[in-house]
C-alpha cells in the first residue's frame, strides 16, 4: 500500500524553513535550515533554564558587569554561551555579534565555509527574570558581504543596514514559548511543545491588524519625551485616531512587540534625557523587530525615517524605535517624522 501524506500532522520550525527554502530558494543547499536548527536548539537550552530560574540559583546578578554596564543575570551568560556553542557547530556561520560581547566574534578557519553573520540579544529584558515577567531572545541573520575578510574585518561584516537581513526573529519565553521568524516570505509563529521538545507551527502568516487597541510606552519618562512625541500620544489618547486606546507596557521589548504584532497598536521607545539616541539597540533589537513588522504589514520608524534603512556605524549603537500598525504609524509619520 502507498502512504499518501496529504496533510502532515504537525509542521515543526525546521520543516517549515525547509519548505520555505524549497519554495522560494530552490538553489538553497539546506545550510540555512541547518543554521536555524542551531538557533532553535540554543533557545530550547535557554528555555529549560528560564522555566526553572528560581530553582537553579541563577537569580540575582553575576559578579561581573557586561559591556552594557548592566549587572549580567547569570541566565544572560548561559543564553549567550548556548547560542555561541550551537551556532559554532554550524560551519556556515562565520561571524557572531552579541549584546553580551563588546566585539564581533569569528570562528577559527571559517573564512571560506562561513557565509552567514548572526547578530543576537541572547536574553532581552533579563532584568525581568527575577519577577517572572516574559523575556526573549532576538536574532538577525545576514550574509557576509562580498570581499569582506572576516578574519581581518569581522566588524564590517556586522555593520549592515537592516534591509540586508536574510532572516530575523525572536523567541518569547512567556506563558508559552513562541518562536516568531521571517525569511522575507511572511511572518510565522511556532509554539514550543515541551512534551516533544519541538517548535510546532501555531501562527502561520501573521498579519498585524491595521489598527490596535493598545499603545505601549514608558510614561514615567513623559517629561523627557520630545514635544512631537507628546503631541502624538495626546492625539492617540484624545480619540484622534477614532477609537479608544488602552495602555500596555511590560518593559520587555520582545513581549511588548509580540503583543503589538498580534493585536495591533504601537510600541514606542523614544529619545529620552538618559538615552538621547533611544535605549534599544539597532542591530539586534530594532532591526529584527522592524523586519518582522514590515513583513506582517506594519511600519517601523526611528523617529526620522525607516529603521531598516539606517547604516550602522557601531555594533551596539542605540536607536529610538516606534513600531506598529498602519493607522498608528501613519499618524506618527505625520506628527513626528514630518517635524524631525
Ligand atoms: P525601560 C529591557 O531592559 C529593555 O532592554 C527592553 O527589553 C525594554 O523594552 C526596555 O529595556 C525597557 O526600558 O527604560 O522602559 O525600563
Amino acid at each position: 500500500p502507498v502512504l499518501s501524506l496529504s496533510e502532515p500532522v504537525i509542521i515543526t520550525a525546521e520543516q517549515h524553513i525547509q519548505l520555505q527554502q524549497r519554495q522560494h530558494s530552490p538553489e538553497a543547499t539546506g545550510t540555512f535550515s541547518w543554521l536555524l536548527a542551531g538557533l532553535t536548539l540554543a533557545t530550547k537550552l535557554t528555555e529549560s533554564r528560564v522555566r526553572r530560574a528560581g530553582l537553579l540559583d541563577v537569580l540575582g546578578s553575576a559578579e561581573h558587569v557586561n559591556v552594557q554596564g548592566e549587572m549580567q543575570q547569570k541566565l544572560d551568560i548561559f543564553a549567550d554561551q548556548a547560542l555561541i556553542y550551537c551556532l559554532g557547530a554550524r560551519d556556515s556561520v562565520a561571524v557572531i555579534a552579541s549584546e553580551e560581547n563588546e566585539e564581533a566574534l569569528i570562528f577559527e578557519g571559517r573564512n571560506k565555509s562561513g557565509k552567514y553573520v548572526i547578530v543576537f540579544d541572547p536574553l532581552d529584558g533579563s532584568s525581568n527574570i527575577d519577577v517572572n515577567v516574559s523575556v526573549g531572545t532576538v536574532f538577525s541573520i545576514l550574509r557576509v558581504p562580498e570581499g569582506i575578510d572576516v578574519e581581518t574585518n569581522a566588524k564590517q561584516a556586522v555593520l549592515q543596514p537592516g534591509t540586508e537581513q536574510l532572516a530575523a526573529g525572536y523567541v518569547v519565553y512567556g506563558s508559552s514559548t513562541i518562536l516568531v521568524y521571517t525569511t522575507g516570505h511572511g511572518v510565522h509563529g511556532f509554539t514550543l511543545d515541551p512534551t516533544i521538545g519541538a517548535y510546532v507551527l501555531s501562527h502561520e502568516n501573521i498579519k498585524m491588524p491595521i489598527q490596535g487597541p493598545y499603545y505601549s510606552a514608558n510614561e514615567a519618562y513623559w517629561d523627557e519625551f520630545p514635544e512631537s512625541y507628546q503631541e502624538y500620544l495626546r492625539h492617540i489618547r484624545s480619540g484622534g485616531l477614532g477609537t479608544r486606546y488602552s495602555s500596555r507596557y511590560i518593559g520587555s521589548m520582545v513581549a511588548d512587540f509580540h503583543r503589538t504584532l498580534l493585536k495591533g497598536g504601537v510600541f514606542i521607545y523614544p529619545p529620552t534625557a538618559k538615552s538621547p539616541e533611544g535605549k534599544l539597540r539597532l542591530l539586534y533589537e530594532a532591526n529584527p523587530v522592524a523586519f518582522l513588522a514590515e513583513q506582517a504589514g506594519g511600519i517601523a520608524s526611528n523617529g526620522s525615517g525607516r529603521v531598516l534603512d539606517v547604516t550602522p556605524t557601531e555594533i551596539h549603537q542605540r536607536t529610538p524605535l516606534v513600531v506598529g500598525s498602519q493607522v498608528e504609524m501613519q499618524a506618527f509619520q505625520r506628527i513626528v517624522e514630518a517635524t524631525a
Side-chain angles (χ1 to χ4, degrees):
V2 176
L3 278 176
S4 67
L5 288 180
S6 55
E7 276 306 306
V9 173
I10 61 170
I11 295 184
T12 65
E14 291 74 13
Q15 279 172 290
H16 193 265
I17 189 78
Q18 292 267 10
L19 293 171
Q20 286 233 312
Q21 291 291 302
R22 204 170 299 156
Q23 191 182 351
H24 300 291
S25 323
E27 79 291 347
T29 57
T31 48
F32 198 78
S33 41
W34 177 230
L35 188 167
L36 191 93
L39 275 167
T40 52
L41 175 60
T43 65
K44 290 176 196 172
L45 291 167
T46 297
E47 197 269 350
S48 80
R49 294 274 182 128
V50 166
R51 294 283 165 236
R52 292 174 293 137
L55 305 175
L56 297 177
D57 185 34
V58 265
L59 291 185
S61 51
E63 291 62 46
H64 67 287
V65 174
N66 72 354
V67 293
Q68 312 303 335
E70 297 149 6
M71 289 305 285
Q72 270 190 319
Q73 302 290 333
K74 288 178 189 167
L75 265 178
D76 272 353
I77 301 170
F78 179 82
D80 188 47
Q81 292 304 311
L83 278 159
I84 291 173
Y85 174 77
C86 294
L87 290 170
R90 269 68 183 163
D91 60 14
S92 60
V93 177
V95 184
I96 271 182
S98 163
E99 199 239 13
E100 299 299 339
N101 303 85
E102 179 66 22
E103 306 295 333
L105 308 170
I106 60 169
F107 291 102
E108 204 63 42
R110 290 278 174 83
N111 226 7
K112 298 296 167 273
S113 70
K115 290 191 293 188
Y116 300 112
V117 178
I118 322 286
V119 182
F120 54 81
D121 183 351
L123 210 55
D124 176 70
S126 56
S127 52
N128 292 302
I129 291 167
D130 288 355
V131 292
N132 213 36
V133 165
S134 301
V135 292
T137 297
V138 196
F139 63 88
S140 173
I141 301 174
L142 301 152
R143 192 185 307 285
V144 174
E146 285 299 314
I148 293 263
D149 174 355
V150 296
E151 286 183 357
T152 55
N153 196 352
K155 180 174 176 180
Q156 211 46 48
V158 174
L159 298 179
Q160 301 181 54
T163 45
E164 294 302 314
Q165 292 175 96
L166 298 173
Y170 59 80
V171 171
V172 52
Y173 309 102
S175 46
S176 63
T177 296
I178 294 186
L179 163 72
V180 174
Y181 88 93
T182 183
T183 59
H185 304 290
V187 177
H188 309 286
F190 304 80
T191 300
L192 181 66
D193 179 340
T195 62
I196 59 173
Y199 282 107
V200 178
L201 183 64
S202 52
H203 301 65
E204 182 150 36
N205 217 9
I206 300 172
K207 288 298 174 197
M208 199 187 279
I210 63 158
Q211 181 170 17
Y214 301 123
Y215 71 85
S216 183
N218 187 336
E219 297 182 81
Y221 308 144
W222 175 270
D223 296 338
E224 301 173 33
F225 287 178
E227 164 53 34
S228 57
Y229 282 78
Q230 293 178 344
E231 181 190 344
Y232 172 63
L233 282 168
R234 276 194 290 269
H235 181 66
I236 288 184
R237 290 195 304 219
S238 62
L241 294 183
T243 183
R244 178 177 159 79
Y245 278 79
S246 194
S247 170
R248 289 283 187 283
Y249 191 73
I250 301 165
S252 183
M253 181 202 70
V254 175
D256 278 317
F257 177 72
H258 189 63
R259 180 203 55 249
T260 306
L261 177 70
L262 295 182
K263 300 297 182 190
V266 60
F267 169 76
I268 305 164
Y269 204 107
T272 62
K274 183 183 174 193
S275 310
E277 292 305 313
K279 176 183 182 185
L280 301 175
R281 309 289 179 167
L282 173 63
L283 278 175
Y284 42 80
E285 287 177 317
N287 272 345
V289 154
F291 188 14
L292 289 160
E294 292 194 359
Q295 282 287 310
I299 294 173
S301 169
N302 64 2
S304 51
R306 188 181 180 219
V307 168
L308 294 181
D309 287 342
V310 175
T311 297
T313 52
E314 288 305 325
I315 291 176
H316 301 289
Q317 78 183 60
R318 299 174 189 268
T319 176
L321 175 65
V322 184
V323 57
S325 300
Q326 286 291 328
V327 170
E328 289 85 349
M329 290 308 296
Q330 285 168 17
F332 180 80
Q333 290 170 332
R334 207 171 47 247
I335 297 170
V336 178
E337 276 194 13
T339 63

